[in-house]
Amino acid sequence: MSREEAITRTFVELADTLVDDFDVIDFLQHLTTRCCEIFTLADAAVLLAYPGPDLHSPAPCDPSPALSKVLDLALREGPARDAYRTGAAIAPGDLARAPADWNNFTTQARDAGYTHACAVPLRLRRKTLGSLLLLSTTSGPLPADDLLVARGFADAATIGLLNARTLEYAESVNEQLHTALHSRIVIEQAKGFLASQRRIPLNTAFETMRRHARQHCFRLTTVAHNVITTGQLPQPPNVPPDNQRPGKPAQSTPSE
């Protein structure tokens, strides 16, 4: 797939929120994944301020320890906070020359290996839901054209979220937006459990849950809750029990 095709496909995916099984957490995670792939970023994260003024980071759901520390500070200072507060793209570029009032964020980001940071708001007209933080480890800043595309992605995501709320999805999506701010704990617990159970890396455990959710139309949080409560990935619907699957002999019914 060419870069242009990937960009077009992403816009289409971000517009596809009017479905019965719309999952806002997976939707936001997908936005960050696409940004990293298309713009060759080290990391991307969504910060939401919903329903009110404090920022939280529901995506990525599987941050590394270094990224987690950066996001903790990004909630209070830095480009993501400024993009949310001003409703404008923030692209100072090189973290070595970042504003003085970003000192704690800049120090933590540079210690984690990031060299450049910028952010765009999740905004439609006067309504701002949060921001999209873009982090890179390259020798140069994100090109202006790429920042413009990122702004387009953020706008499309915002429109998708607000449209889903408007068209009779209000109760479901409002609940999901609120839950998304706290769901990372559940997903982190499930990821850790699955990684320990299967003896696989944490990021592999997360991708296993996310892939299973997408393949079988489960919400990511549903998969995580099932892993925590049962120790297993949830069984897809309409899958017969083991003793009724092809190749398995049916159990005989005792005669009376």
Side-chain angles (χ1 to χ4, degrees):
M1 182 189 305
S2 69
R3 189 172 188 273
E4 290 72 19
E5 289 172 331
I7 290 173
T8 300
R9 181 175 178 179
T10 300
F11 276 116
V12 172
E13 292 167 341
L14 293 175
D16 189 21
T17 59
L18 305 183
V19 292
D20 290 339
D21 60 346
F22 174 64
D23 185 339
V24 69
I25 301 167
D26 186 62
F27 175 76
L28 295 175
Q29 178 71 26
H30 190 61
L31 170 61
T32 64
T33 299
R34 286 296 195 194
C35 285
C36 288
E37 293 171 348
I38 292 171
F39 306 132
T40 319
L41 298 170
D43 283 301
V46 172
L47 283 71
L48 284 182
Y50 189 90
D54 295 330
L55 286 170
H56 304 269
S57 179
C61 298
D62 61 336
S64 64
L67 178 57
S68 291
K69 293 178 181 178
V70 172
L71 293 181
D72 287 343
L73 288 168
L75 303 177
R76 301 189 294 274
E77 63 181 61
R81 179 72 184 181
D82 286 359
Y84 166 66
R85 181 176 55 83
T86 65
I90 304 296
D94 194 343
L95 285 172
R97 294 188 291 273
D101 57 355
W102 294 6
N103 183 60
N104 293 327
F105 168 81
T106 300
T107 299
Q108 188 65 59
R110 294 185 68 188
D111 286 347
Y114 302 113
T115 56
H116 295 78
C118 59
V120 294
L122 292 170
R123 185 172 185 262
L124 178 64
R125 300 186 182 92
R126 295 184 178 182
K127 192 170 189 66
T128 305
L129 300 182
S131 60
L132 173 63
L133 175 65
L134 309 173
L135 298 164
S136 66
T137 56
T138 60
S139 58
L142 189 71
D145 287 348
D146 283 358
L147 186 64
L148 187 62
V149 175
R151 179 65 185 264
F153 286 169
D155 289 346
T158 305
I159 291 170
L161 290 172
L162 294 176
N163 280 347
R165 289 172 52 203
T166 300
L167 298 178
E168 301 302 325
Y169 286 79
E171 180 177 351
S172 173
V173 177
N174 282 345
E175 180 181 354
Q176 285 193 57
L177 282 171
H178 181 75
T179 302
L181 305 181
H182 306 284
S183 66
R184 201 170 78 190
I185 295 174
V186 174
I187 294 170
E188 288 288 322
Q189 290 175 341
K191 181 180 69 175
F193 181 90
L194 196 65
S196 175
Q197 182 191 58
R198 299 191 177 187
R199 298 181 180 180
I200 56 178
L202 289 172
N203 62 333
T204 303
F206 175 77
E207 283 304 320
T208 298
M209 292 194 300
R210 185 166 181 260
R211 184 169 56 250
H212 189 81
R214 281 181 163 260
Q215 287 177 345
H216 302 295
C217 298
F218 287 122
R219 290 180 177 174
L220 184 57
T221 46
T222 299
V223 174
H225 278 294
N226 202 88
V227 169
I228 292 173
T229 56
T230 71
Q232 301 293 330
L233 297 170
Q235 189 177 53
N238 302 321
V239 174
D242 285 345
N243 64 349
Q244 295 179 17
R245 294 180 186 176
K248 293 280 187 178
Q251 293 182 348
S252 58
T253 303
S255 58
E256 295 181 359

